[in-house]
Each structure stands twice: as structure tokens, then as C-alpha cells.
Amino acid sequence: MSMRQSQFELKQARQQVMANTQILQNLIPPTVSYSTQGHVLFIGPEDLARLAADTLPMMASRVILANESITSQDENYLEKVINAAEGVESFYNKLKSIKGFLGQFQVSVEADAGGVAELSAVAIRQAHFDIIVDLCSAPCINLELLPTGYFYVGADAQKLAEAIEQIPDLVGEFDKPRYVKVNADICAHNRNGINGCNRCLNFCPADAISSIEQKIEIDPYLCHGAGSCTNLCPTGAISYDLPTPKSLHTYLEKLISRYRAEVQVAPVILFHDNIAGSDLITDTLSGDVLPIAMEEISVASIDHWLAALAHGAREVLILHTDATAPTLTQMMQGELSLANRILDEMGQPQRLRLISATDLTELEQSLATSMTWPIIVPMVLAVNADSHNAKRDILYQAIDHLNSQAGAIQTQLTLANVPYGQVKVNVDKCTLCMSCVSICPTQALKDGGNTPALRFVEQDCVQCGLCESACPESVISLAPQVNFDRDCRQGLTTLKEEAPFECITCGSAFATQSMVRKMVEMVGAHSAFSANIERLKMCGDCRVKDMFEDILQDPEKQLR
């Protein structure tokens, strides 16, 4: 069979399989609404702002905040500027801050005597502006993904023309998806006032995530659906809703298995965004590459990448473009490096790549060299409905399956700053107070039931550090690693166990041996206890009885 014929058949198979395989979506997805009346603020050099305002006479109001010097002193040009946007008022106050989004922009400026005023209240007697056109030399909002309704055009005539074309259509009521949801019950950010995981806070390019009253909150109006938060969340507390993690896993499994059954070829999965990335996907794409459009490339995370390989994909590629926020690219590079390091450790080829538009044009040639890579016997995904962390379960299923197809190693890969690993305890100083158990968000740490013991399941640990911070004896430390020994990783390990301390009077168990020993060491020498140190070794009932017997024998003892 010729390569041309082979590509024709592969492309036919791809078209048929992708047409018959759909991602299950919520039929009525949750949304948020924007409401606008058409109040527009132009910020920048007064000449550029006035000329821009002149092109939008149909808007409800137009206001100019002139905060940069005029760009030209040409007389004819200035005459044109003076005659533009008649009746539009200019303000010259110093800009203090801009907050908000489409229909809700609050612009604070410096007022007289050093005070602060809301420009919309002064200029148009409204609580906010609806739309902002920023013509400054640098954006007034310093974010990689700017709020909806905020147009940064600078001195770029093409960007200005595009903004002017869109703005009239931004008057009225608008809905957009609420891309992600947060399950506070399994979030490892904060427990009992103690700070833990902050991974999602560090990589949002829209600054839509914040910690409010010790809980992770996502502003749905600012959220662009970039997916960095869901990608990095180790517990699955933040999850994407369009599509859900489960529906994406199911889609990948069906797509890969159907394509393999159709042409007996292990496909390549290509994740790309549904705007800039989709524009680059053409029919010239090699027939064994299955393109999957996401809201943003970071919607699919490490569990999806490794599961795709375990389902029988030959390679997983992620296409980033000039439109991809640098923060997302940086985050993806780090996660891909981790995933490839895991593959390399078990003896698998490094089959996960971040590619550019240039790489896409040369893709067929690079894929030809990968045909010699080992073909994986596909994994059938088993989703545990009772799991506290489905994301973690699926990830380790993929790792274990890929490991079984390669080196079948049982070693541990030590890595820094990863959400996998062990909890270490200094058993000589631990009193089994169980502070760590009560604060663990994933139940990786467990008590011993009726036996004084601290137990641990490594697979459930996300290395959030809450147990380490909560430990009153400072005897806990974290050991980040990826453990390839499945039985060891999934097993219930005893970190410390001891016999209970029995009351010296009635014989009932009431504390741990180490707890009583520590109490005796810490307070036994105090004058309040030195004469009755044995009471520290009694249960609560016996201690009270002993105190009353002492009082009955000498009623005036308490007064002396």
C-alpha cells in the first residue's frame, strides 16, 4: 500500500470515528449573565481617545480619561481631533485602579486633595462603565487574559478597528459558561485556619481565583476557562464543567479504541484550543492524528495525557499558539516534564510533547520516526464511584498500566514540589494526638479505630502540608515522590502504633502511652501537680474522685 493510499484510508477512518464519537456535555450548562447599556470609557492620549470615541456615536455615553500626552502636534491633525466627538467630555485625573468586567467596570481616579473618586459617578452618574477601550502605551490592566469588555488596542489601528466593530454588539444581556466548579469539601487550600495547597492561586492568567475567608473562590465573570486551576488541582476539588473530567476520559477511551479497531494503528492525540488552534487544523494533518478541541489546552491534565497513552495512543501532543497565555505555557511545560519523567523512569519513551504551529506543519515527518515505539495493550478504565479523589485514581491506573507494559519497576522517583508522596513521622516524639488526621482533606491519614495508631495511604496524599503545619509536636515532614510499587502505595501503612495507657485506678484505657508520658514530663514538676502527679495517670472520672476524697479527708486543704 502506498503512503498516499495509506493516508487516504487513515483520514477516512479519522473522519468516521470522530463523527461517531462525541463528548457528553451538560445539556443545560451553568452560566453567568452580563448586562450592559453601552457606557464606554476611552483611556489614553486625548487625541487617540477622541478620534476613537468619534467612531461610536450610537453608544449610550462616551467618556475620555486622558492620561497620556498627545501623540502629534501637526496642526491639521489637531484640527481634526478638536472637531471629533463633539460633546464628549475629557477628564485628566490620575488613574488609580480598574476593576470589573463587561457591564461592571469600576474606575477609580485621583480626586482633589488626594482623595479617590469613582469616575463613572462623576462623569455619567452611573455606578460603573460597561466597556473600556484602552489606547495607552501599556495596558492599564496587567493581566495575560483581560476581562470581557476590556479592549486593549494601544496605538494598533487594526486592533482598534476590530474593537470598534465589536463594541456596538455588546449592548444588552449576555450569557457565558461557568467553566469550572469548586468542591470545598475536598479542597486542600485551608483547614481550621491553617494554610495548605495554593497551586491554583499561582497560575490563573485572568486573576479570577482568590482566597476569601480561607476558601478558594473563582469569579465566573473574570474566568476565561483557561483550565490551569483544574489542571493543577491535586484533589480534583476544582474541576472543569465543559467537559467534565469524567466525560473527557470516556471520550478519549472510546475515540482511541474505535480508531485502533478501524485501522489497526495506534493514533496520536492532539489537544488544541478551539479558536487559534482550530484555525491551524486542516485536512493536511496526518491521518493518524486525532485533533481534540478544548476551551484551552490546559483543560486536559496529566491524568488525561497518561490515560490516553494507556488506552493505546502512540503519542499525546499539545498545540500552543501565540494566543496561549505565557503562564499556561509555563505551567504546561512543567506538568509535561513531570509526566515524561515518570514515563522515562518506568522505561517508556517520552511520548508527551508541547508543539508550536511550526511543529504542526512538520508533524507527519516527525510522526514517522515514532512508529517504531512500542504499542501498548490498551487499558480499560475502572472508575471507583466511592473514591475521594477520582483524578488521582485514574492517574495511578494509567501509571500502573504503562509500567506493567514496560519495566514493571517497584521503585520510588524522588521529585521536588509534586503533589505525590509520603508523610514521615518522628515516632519517638509523636503522641498520637490525631491533629493530622482531623485536618487531612483526602483521608490519606487515618486513626487506628479502637487502637492508638496513625495509619497512612500514600496514593491519597497530595502533599498539601496541612498535617505538617497542624502538628503540635512538629514531628511530621513531607517526602514528595512518585511510588511505582502499587501495593505499597495503595496499602494502609502504620506510621506509629502503641498500646493504650490504662488508668492506674480503674484500669480503663483513656489515652496513649506517649501522651501520658509527655504530660508527666511537661507539667509533673509544676507545683500544682507535684504532690499529686499520679492523678495525671488516671482517667477523668478517677481523677475527680481522687480530688474529692482528698478534700473530704482535709476540707481546709484547698484554702491553705
Side-chain angles (χ1 to χ4, degrees):
M1 184 184 299
S2 70
M3 179 59 71
R4 184 173 182 179
Q5 290 172 319
S6 174
Q7 277 296 317
F8 176 75
E9 291 187 0
L10 291 176
K11 289 180 180 180
Q12 272 195 322
R14 175 177 66 196
Q15 182 179 2
Q16 180 179 344
V17 168
M18 297 197 73
N20 294 330
T21 310
Q22 303 295 325
I23 297 181
L24 294 178
Q25 300 279 23
N26 190 342
L27 295 179
I28 308 177
T31 60
V32 293
S33 298
Y34 297 99
S35 178
T36 73
Q37 296 176 340
H39 301 291
V40 186
L41 173 66
F42 299 84
I43 306 176
E46 186 172 10
D47 55 325
L48 298 183
R50 189 161 292 279
L51 291 173
D54 191 57
T55 63
L56 292 169
M58 75 294 292
M59 305 307 291
S61 71
R62 295 166 291 166
V63 174
I64 294 171
L65 178 60
N67 65 346
E68 289 188 4
S69 302
I70 291 176
T71 61
S72 173
Q73 296 296 330
D74 179 79
E75 291 186 6
N76 293 331
Y77 174 76
L78 292 177
E79 183 70 22
K80 180 181 178 182
V81 169
I82 292 172
N83 294 326
E86 293 183 2
V88 175
E89 189 173 0
S90 293
F91 293 82
Y92 303 93
N93 308 65
K94 181 179 179 181
L95 177 65
K96 300 294 289 184
S97 68
I98 299 176
K99 297 179 181 178
F101 43 83
L102 178 65
Q104 292 286 335
F105 283 110
Q106 294 179 318
V107 181
S108 299
V109 295
E110 192 174 278
D112 296 337
V116 176
E118 293 297 322
L119 183 59
S120 60
V122 174
I124 57 175
R125 290 182 170 80
Q126 296 287 329
H128 46 71
F129 291 105
D130 296 319
I131 300 164
I132 293 179
V133 179
D134 186 349
L135 300 112
C136 297
S137 54
C140 295
I141 297 180
N142 188 25
L143 292 173
E144 293 175 0
L145 295 180
L146 296 169
T148 303
Y150 178 91
F151 296 88
Y152 176 68
V153 299
D156 190 320
Q158 179 61 35
K159 288 184 178 179
L160 177 60
E162 293 172 356
I164 297 302
E165 183 179 357
Q166 295 177 48
I167 287 172
D169 296 328
L170 294 180
V171 178
E173 300 284 336
F174 305 93
D175 290 336
K176 83 161 188 175
R178 188 183 289 264
Y179 293 106
V180 298
K181 56 186 178 182
V182 182
N183 181 354
D185 292 338
I186 60 174
C187 178
H189 169 58
N190 193 293
R191 291 289 172 100
N192 302 337
I194 299 174
N195 188 61
C197 174
N198 294 305
R199 290 169 66 86
C200 62
L201 291 169
N202 298 328
F203 282 94
C204 180
D207 199 26
I209 306 177
S210 55
S211 177
I212 300 176
E213 296 182 353
Q214 303 173 349
K215 289 186 178 181
I216 291 297
E217 299 283 352
I218 298 178
D219 189 329
Y221 293 95
L222 294 177
C223 176
H224 282 253
S228 56
C229 54
T230 64
N231 196 301
L232 289 169
C233 181
T235 67
I238 304 180
S239 60
Y240 217 83
D241 211 35
L242 293 167
T244 64
K246 181 180 178 181
S247 62
L248 181 54
H249 275 295
T250 301
Y251 175 71
L252 287 169
E253 185 173 10
K254 289 181 178 179
L255 193 66
I256 294 167
S257 63
R258 289 173 180 176
Y259 185 87
R260 285 173 62 105
E262 189 73 23
V263 291
Q264 290 75 53
V265 171
V268 173
I269 297 297
L270 173 63
F271 291 109
H272 62 90
D273 73 270
N274 60 12
I275 299 178
S278 291
D279 291 340
L280 297 172
I281 304 300
T282 67
D283 192 51
T284 61
L285 188 67
S286 181
D288 53 355
V289 179
L290 307 182
I292 299 176
M294 301 276 95
E295 186 72 27
E296 185 51 82
I297 56 173
S298 46
V299 171
S301 52
I302 187 171
D303 53 311
H304 295 104
W305 308 335
L306 292 178
L309 295 181
H311 290 321
R314 190 167 81 250
E315 195 172 6
V316 173
L317 308 176
I318 301 165
L319 174 63
H320 75 103
T321 68
D322 293 339
T324 305
T327 292
L328 296 185
T329 301
Q330 177 189 353
M331 183 272 292
M332 295 292 281
Q333 288 171 335
E335 288 293 284
L336 285 166
S337 176
L338 168 62
N340 277 319
R341 184 71 181 85
I342 292 171
L343 291 174
D344 187 61
E345 184 73 11
M346 67 176 70
Q348 285 274 0
Q350 295 192 5
R351 297 184 284 149
L352 302 166
R353 285 194 288 150
L354 189 67
I355 66 170
S356 65
T358 302
D359 298 324
L360 191 63
T361 62
E362 303 168 354
L363 197 56
E364 191 169 336
Q365 181 179 357
S366 64
L367 289 177
T369 64
S370 70
M371 293 295 288
T372 57
W373 287 352
I375 302 300
I376 295 296
V377 175
M379 169 187 79
V380 177
L381 193 63
V383 179
N384 182 2
D386 298 326
S387 172
H388 296 291
N389 192 340
K391 179 178 182 178
R392 181 65 54 105
D393 284 351
I394 292 172
L395 171 65
Y396 274 120
Q397 279 186 59
I399 289 175
D400 292 337
H401 183 77
L402 292 168
N403 186 26
S404 72
Q405 303 287 300
I409 61 174
Q410 293 184 316
T411 57
Q412 293 76 42
L413 174 62
T414 302
L415 296 165
N417 301 318
V418 296
Y420 321 101
Q422 289 187 328
V423 167
K424 300 288 187 180
V425 175
N426 184 337
V427 294
D428 294 333
K429 296 183 178 180
C430 174
T431 62
L432 293 175
C433 70
M434 299 301 157
S435 295
C436 54
V437 173
S438 64
I439 205 170
C440 180
T442 63
Q443 300 181 31
L445 288 166
K446 307 174 185 294
D447 61 32
N450 295 325
T451 302
L454 177 60
R455 310 197 195 281
F456 175 68
V457 179
E458 181 177 348
Q459 180 158 311
D460 294 335
C461 179
V462 297
Q463 299 284 290
C464 63
L466 285 170
C467 58
E468 184 178 25
S469 299
C471 180
E473 285 111 13
S474 301
V475 299
I476 291 180
S477 60
L478 303 179
Q481 65 177 25
V482 177
N483 191 347
F484 293 95
D485 187 336
R486 179 173 59 186
D487 293 338
C488 174
R489 190 186 67 238
Q490 294 181 344
L492 187 62
T493 304
T494 299
L495 300 181
K496 180 174 181 178
E497 184 175 18
E498 62 183 36
F501 188 90
E502 295 177 349
C503 174
I504 60 174
T505 300
C506 69
S508 63
F510 73 94
T512 65
Q513 297 273 354
S514 53
M515 180 67 77
V516 173
R517 185 168 56 250
K518 186 169 184 178
M519 283 194 301
V520 172
E521 291 174 356
M522 291 182 66
V523 301
H526 194 279
S527 59
F529 295 94
S530 57
N532 302 286
I533 194 170
E534 294 303 300
R535 284 180 185 162
L536 296 173
K537 301 176 184 178
M538 299 178 187
C539 68
D541 291 341
C542 292
R543 190 178 304 126
V544 172
K545 290 177 183 179
D546 187 66
M547 291 171 64
F548 272 101
E549 287 176 2
D550 200 21
I551 293 172
L552 289 173
Q553 292 176 6
D554 186 359
E556 297 182 0
K557 183 176 181 180
Q558 300 298 315
L559 302 176
R560 293 198 293 267

